[in-house]
Amino acid sequence: MIAPVAKGRVLATLNEDGSRQWIRPKPSSGKWLIRRRWIAYSLIALFLAIPHLRLGGKPWILLDLPHRQFTFFGTTFLPTDTLPLMLLFVSCLIGIFLLTALFGRVWCGWACPQTVWMEFIFRPIERLVEGGWNASRVLDRAPGKLGRHLAPRRLLKLAIYAVLAAVLGNTFLAYFVGTDALRTWVAQSPFAHPTPFLVMAVTTTLVFLDFAWFREQLCIVICPYGR
């Protein structure tokens, strides 16, 4: 059996010869972009702030897996509280699909972490460092690997991405261990707490690879909701 031959490009991120097609969208101004920007930066600030916020002496959200305690907005749930936890997560899932049925793919465009961080943090940094969306396209067409991937501006961009990925990795870890433990661990050797350090390192690496290389392919190839 002969595999079918595609006529033209199959994916927006793939050329006909199988090479990567980098997407460099040109930003478009307007009232809807302003609204999306306000919501995106509010969500980013909320994500970074939640581990530091307290309600009734407890973190807003703390998923303490070793002690099997899950705190949501001052209320701690135990493994025996399976039904309330299940209802909480099912309600969130149904809410996302309800919004989609009523208003279209607002989750993907307005609230998905991949979209929020990519379009309002990482792409703006890319355009700022590389000199604009058109300058990025020029670098994509530069001859040789050195010109395309190892240009000084791109190396600077990747260094900034690495710092942001580390911030996100540590923030992600704070949701599971709390900010008090995280502050103590940061000042210690990683060998004193190897498992949390590994979680943070893996998360940082995945975030960096996602926003520096994989990008919109996550929505096109992997995400079941996007598909």
Side-chain angles (χ1 to χ4, degrees):
M1 181 179 294
I2 301 176
V5 179
K7 296 181 180 179
R9 291 166 56 185
V10 178
L11 296 175
T13 57
L14 193 68
N15 293 316
E16 292 186 46
D17 61 358
S19 60
R20 174 72 178 272
Q21 169 66 30
W22 288 90
I23 296 178
R24 311 291 184 186
K26 181 180 179 181
S28 57
S29 59
K31 63 180 181 180
W32 287 106
L33 177 62
I34 295 174
R35 292 170 181 172
R36 288 182 65 205
R37 185 178 288 125
W38 275 103
I39 292 178
Y41 290 140
S42 298
L43 291 174
I44 290 171
L46 186 62
F47 171 77
L48 296 174
I50 280 179
H52 303 275
L53 300 176
R54 298 290 187 271
L55 182 62
K58 297 181 180 180
W60 274 24
I61 296 179
L62 178 60
L63 309 176
D64 191 348
L65 296 179
H67 297 94
R68 308 295 192 269
Q69 295 180 355
F70 310 96
T71 301
F72 294 95
F73 304 104
T75 301
T76 299
F77 297 91
L78 301 176
T80 53
D81 301 319
T82 306
L83 184 59
L85 283 174
M86 182 189 68
L87 290 176
L88 174 63
F89 290 113
V90 170
S91 298
C92 294
L93 183 63
I94 293 178
I96 292 176
F97 283 97
L98 177 62
L99 287 175
T100 302
L102 295 175
F103 305 109
R105 299 230 335 238
V106 291
W107 167 256
C108 293
W110 291 71
C112 174
Q114 175 75 10
T115 300
V116 168
W117 286 94
M118 185 76 248
E119 302 301 332
F120 296 97
I121 294 293
F122 286 90
R123 280 203 206 277
I125 289 175
E126 179 178 75
R127 289 191 288 265
L128 177 64
V129 175
E130 295 187 355
W133 71 278
N134 194 46
S136 298
R137 290 155 58 94
V138 172
L139 284 176
D140 291 339
R141 296 190 293 267
K145 182 181 293 186
L146 179 63
R148 290 195 300 270
H149 304 298
L150 300 180
R153 285 179 293 175
R154 291 226 154 137
L155 292 178
L156 175 60
K157 177 193 72 175
L158 293 178
I160 297 174
Y161 280 10
V163 173
L164 290 175
V167 172
L168 290 176
N170 281 278
T171 303
F172 176 79
L173 181 61
Y175 277 85
F176 296 88
V177 302
T179 54
D180 295 335
L182 185 62
R183 291 191 193 99
T184 302
W185 292 347
V186 167
Q188 297 176 345
S189 168
F191 296 103
H193 42 84
T195 300
F197 177 79
L198 182 62
V199 171
M200 183 277 298
V202 170
T203 303
T204 298
T205 302
L206 292 176
V207 169
F208 177 81
L209 292 176
D210 178 24
F211 292 114
W213 176 71
F214 205 61
R215 299 191 159 200
E216 54 280 320
Q217 293 182 124
L218 180 70
C219 309
I220 299 175
V221 179
I222 294 180
C223 177
Y225 185 82
R227 292 169 67 87

